[in-house]
Amino acid sequence: MSQHRHPGAPGRAGAVPALPDLPEATVARLPEYLRALHNLAETGNETVSSEGLANAAGVNSAKLRKDLSQLGSYGTRGVGYDVALLIEQIEYVLGLTQRRAVALVGVGNLGHALAGYDGFASRGFRIAALLDADPGRVGEEINGMVVRHVDELPRVAAEESIAIGVIATPASAAQRVADQLVAVGVTSILNFAPCVLSVPDGVDVRKVDLAIELQILSFHEHRKASLTALPSTGGSALTALPGGLAVTESQEAIGT
Amino acid sequence: MSQHRHPGAPGRAGAVPALPDLPEATVARLPEYLRALHNLAETGNETVSSEGLANAAGVNSAKLRKDLSQLGSYGTRGVGYDVALLIEQIEYVLGLTQRRAVALVGVGNLGHALAGYDGFASRGFRIAALLDADPGRVGEEINGMVVRHVDELPRVAAEESIAIGVIATPASAAQRVADQLVAVGVTSILNFAPCVLSVPDGVDVRKVDLAIELQILSFHEHRKASLTALPSTGGSALTALPGGLAVTESQEAIGT
DNA sequence: CGCGATTTGTGCACGTCTTCACAAGCGCCT
DNA sequence: AGGCGCTTGTGAAGACGTGCACAAATCGCG
Ligand SMILES: NC(=O)c1ccc[n+]([C@@H]2O[C@H](COP(=O)([O-])OP(=O)(O)OC[C@H]3O[C@@H](n4cnc5c(N)ncnc54)[C@H](O)[C@@H]3O)[C@@H](O)[C@H]2O)c1
Ligand SMILES: NC(=O)c1ccc[n+]([C@@H]2O[C@H](COP(=O)([O-])OP(=O)(O)OC[C@H]3O[C@@H](n4cnc5c(N)ncnc54)[C@H](O)[C@@H]3O)[C@@H](O)[C@H]2O)c1
């Protein structure tokens, strides 16, 4: 469709929008590619094939090529992708060419771990502030940073240009904290509290919920266990369902 | 091979009802519904409409109805869903009727936070073992549990029927730990280390990577900034991609 | 007892994502 | 230079997921 630019061709810059809207699924995989690429770069690789990179990132190679093709062609047929160039490409698209400031709200059990995590710094982020509501926690020093009171958020936001807010408070406080973050202009939130946040349009929220992950795994355990059970019973023992109801006829195909 | 034990269900081992194979997307949402339902139950609600529950879970109501219909019809037209019954239903499907034992490997920064997290217990899981490779950490007591050496994993697995392994070690050790977990019969792994694990067929791995979440948010920040920045310009910093030249310099002030 | 209000369950159409398969492009070797 | 093997980029097809819109079912009430 339309003209496509050749990687080596000089002077064709400017004809194409810098940030095409990538499919969400692609965006979600780019960080994985980036991590794999950094590994490859550290081990001295100059180029990598889609097959090799796909392997390192744990995805299908056709998918990887299609993903990369979304951000413009940067591979060389017969050779592969230039590792360093691709890193710059992806970092640019992800907006990592500037180190983004993160405000961490809720310095409890989990917050301590996050504050001490060096994976922030090495992957393009900088913890710019630690905030908590507990007066007993305010003033505490963690990893060279002092915990400030959450009500200082407006002042903190004025000092630093906070790009992302991380919520690690109990669920009961999360919505309030989110509101405070939004109020000072934060438009991206990572939420560790197990609850739904409601935010205005234009604000992105992503959620990490450990229990959900475990429960998904639990489902698959359950399913695997039911498969190992003898198939000969054929829909007999559906008694375990509480409430006096049974799942009996949900899928005809399963029965004998 | 791992014989599956049902604690408290003697003589009936293997009599597991067949599970309809739910779409993955549905499975991933069930825990969210479950959490919302527990909230509703605590606030005294006996029934809930698909609209109400969808709201509480942050999803579309048609999607919710379709999800619930996958596990058999348990709503009453004109009324809604029985909260308590639906909770039992979902917990059954997710395999939460038995409390699953979790082994946590890597009791460092993050591992400590996880070990002290009460969200495990309240959502159907039980930390059955804390394991670490550092002799200096072995013997330490956290939250009433003693850290044991990771080489004791086989013994631990023999004592408890470990359903899920959680990896919170550095990435460099993660694959080795995964192998050890698989070797003792664990078929579900939650991995916090930023790396791809390779495991045999039949073993499920889910990954939680904080940096990936932040980078996805960063992308959207970048995109939002580029939308507000230039409605009509063609040659500003945003078009600096092509040509394979350094992209880095052209990025100084995207924020604000 | 019937009727209207309410809410579920689902057929259908649409959009997104994945995967295969292969032509086109590239470098290397002869 | 030309051919050969390797790799990318992408068309097409199908799988999967989503949301609308509405018939069917149920309840409450007069
Ligand atoms: N600990 C874990 O491993 C873990 C794992 C997954 C999810 N979570 C979730 O993360 C959140 C935090 O967990 P935790 O174990 O660290 O809890 P915690 O109680 O140890 O820490 C919560 C912190 O938030 C602070 N806080 C409370 N209200 C606040 C407010 N309005 N503004 C600012 N700070 C406030 C508290 O003072 C406390 O320091 C919880 O929602 C929990 O469910 C925790
Ligand atoms: N700290 C965070 O907030 C955070 C957030 C996201 C991801 N992570 C990831 O989680 C992992 C752990 O992070 P951390 O900050 O707790 O690191 P850490 O270094 O504090 O802890 C790692 C622990 O693993 C133990 N360990 C090392 N090799 C082991 C082995 N072979 N078997 C058993 N235990 C072993 C170490 O002794 C140490 O106690 C890392 O991969 C990190 O990237 C951490």
Side-chain angles (χ1 to χ4, degrees), chain A residues 113-114 117, chain B residues 105-111 131-134 137 150 168-171 173 176-177 192-194 210:
Chain A
L114 296 176
Y117 182 42
Chain B
V105 187
V107 192
N109 212 349
L110 177 62
L131 302 163
D132 204 296
D134 183 350
R137 279 226 155 85
V150 66
T169 67
R176 179 188 178 76
V177 170
F192 283 92
L210 176 51

Side-chain angles (χ1 to χ4, degrees), chain A residues 12 28 71 77 103-104 109 113 133 170 173 178 181 202 205 214 222 239 243 247:
Chain A
R12 299 304 291 273
L71 29 123
R77 293 171 188 228
L104 172 58
N109 213 348
L181 286 169
V205 176
L214 290 178
H222 192 192
T239 61
V247 257

Side-chain angles (χ1 to χ4, degrees), chain B residues 99-158:
Chain B
R99 172 153 299 215
R100 295 188 183 265
V102 173
L104 172 57
V105 187
V107 192
N109 212 349
L110 177 62
H112 267 86
L114 297 177
Y117 183 42
D118 58 353
F120 276 113
S122 64
R123 301 236 238 151
F125 302 92
R126 179 174 61 87
I127 297 196
L130 303 178
L131 302 163
D132 204 296
D134 183 350
R137 279 226 155 85
V138 173
E140 184 182 348
E141 187 177 321
I142 300 171
N143 222 24
M145 295 215 61
V146 175
V147 177
R148 302 170 70 172
H149 195 276
V150 66
D151 289 343
E152 286 194 55
L153 191 51
R155 200 169 323 163
V156 169

Side-chain angles (χ1 to χ4, degrees), chain A residues 59-224:
Chain A
V59 302
N60 178 298
S61 72
K63 184 152 57 177
L64 179 132
R65 287 199 296 279
K66 191 150 282 188
D67 283 342
L68 295 187
S69 77
Q70 306 273 2
L71 29 123
S73 280
Y74 282 89
T76 306
R77 293 171 188 228
V79 177
Y81 298 87
D82 181 292
V83 171
L85 181 57
L86 200 47
I87 287 176
E88 289 188 54
Q89 258 309 298
I90 295 179
E91 288 187 342
Y92 169 74
V93 170
L94 291 179
L96 301 176
T97 47
Q98 56 174 316
R99 171 153 303 215
R100 296 189 182 262
V102 173
L104 172 58
V105 187
V107 193
N109 213 348
L110 177 62
H112 266 85
L114 296 176
Y117 182 42
D118 59 353
F120 276 114
S122 64
R123 303 236 237 152
F125 301 92
R126 178 175 63 86
I127 296 195
L130 303 178
L131 302 163
D132 204 295
D134 184 349
R137 279 226 155 86
V138 173
E140 183 181 349
E141 186 176 321
I142 300 171
N143 223 22
M145 296 213 62
V146 175
V147 177
R148 303 170 68 173
H149 194 276
V150 68
D151 289 343
E152 286 194 56
L153 190 52
R155 201 169 320 162
V156 169
E159 293 164 11
E160 314 260 4
S161 177
I162 301 293
I164 298 174
V166 175
I167 300 180
T169 67
S172 55
Q175 181 62 58
R176 178 188 178 77
V177 169
D179 293 342
Q180 289 175 290
L181 286 169
V182 169
V184 300
V186 172
T187 52
S188 289
I189 293 176
L190 180 56
N191 179 29
F192 283 91
C195 64
V196 177
L197 295 182
S198 91
V199 295
D201 281 356
V203 177
D204 284 308
V205 176
R206 292 190 68 84
K207 192 170 105 181
V208 174
D209 191 328
L210 176 51
I212 286 182
E213 301 300 323
L214 290 178
Q215 289 176 350
I216 294 172
L217 286 172
S218 173
F219 168 81
H220 287 114
E221 280 294 307
H222 192 192
R223 195 178 44 76
K224 280 184 277 193

Side-chain angles (χ1 to χ4, degrees), chain B residues 27-249:
Chain B
V27 175
R29 283 187 294 265
L30 288 181
E32 198 68 56
Y33 303 155
L34 187 55
R35 189 191 48 70
L37 284 164
H38 274 128
N39 283 350
L40 287 166
E42 273 168 27
T43 55
N45 294 276
E46 298 235 323
T47 65
V48 64
S49 69
S50 65
E51 190 70 31
L53 182 53
N55 244 27
V59 303
N60 178 297
S61 71
K63 185 152 56 179
L64 179 132
R65 286 197 298 276
K66 192 154 284 187
D67 283 340
L68 294 188
S69 78
Q70 305 274 1
L71 27 124
S73 280
Y74 283 91
T76 305
R77 296 173 188 222
V79 176
Y81 298 87
D82 182 291
V83 171
L85 181 57
L86 199 48
I87 287 176
E88 289 186 59
Q89 258 310 300
I90 295 180
E91 286 186 344
Y92 169 74
V93 169
L94 291 178
L96 301 176
T97 46
Q98 55 176 312
R99 172 153 299 215
R100 295 188 183 265
V102 173
L104 172 57
V105 187
V107 192
N109 212 349
L110 177 62
H112 267 86
L114 297 177
Y117 183 42
D118 58 353
F120 276 113
S122 64
R123 301 236 238 151
F125 302 92
R126 179 174 61 87
I127 297 196
L130 303 178
L131 302 163
D132 204 296
D134 183 350
R137 279 226 155 85
V138 173
E140 184 182 348
E141 187 177 321
I142 300 171
N143 222 24
M145 295 215 61
V146 175
V147 177
R148 302 170 70 172
H149 195 276
V150 66
D151 289 343
E152 286 194 55
L153 191 51
R155 200 169 323 163
V156 169
E159 295 165 10
E160 314 259 5
S161 176
I162 302 291
I164 298 174
V166 174
I167 300 181
T169 67
S172 55
Q175 181 63 57
R176 179 188 178 76
V177 170
D179 293 343
Q180 290 176 287
L181 286 168
V182 169
V184 300
V186 172
T187 52
S188 289
I189 294 176
L190 180 56
N191 179 29
F192 283 92
C195 65
V196 176
L197 295 182
S198 91
V199 294
D201 281 357
V203 176
D204 284 308
V205 176
R206 293 190 67 86
K207 194 171 103 179
V208 174
D209 191 328
L210 176 51
I212 286 183
E213 301 301 322
L214 289 177
Q215 288 175 351
I216 294 172
L217 286 172
S218 174
F219 168 81
H220 291 297
E221 279 294 307
H222 191 191
R223 196 178 43 76
K224 280 184 277 192
S226 81
L227 288 183
T228 52
L230 77 163
S232 60
T233 325
S236 81
L238 292 174
T239 52
L241 295 211
L245 297 176
V247 190
T248 39
E249 289 184 343

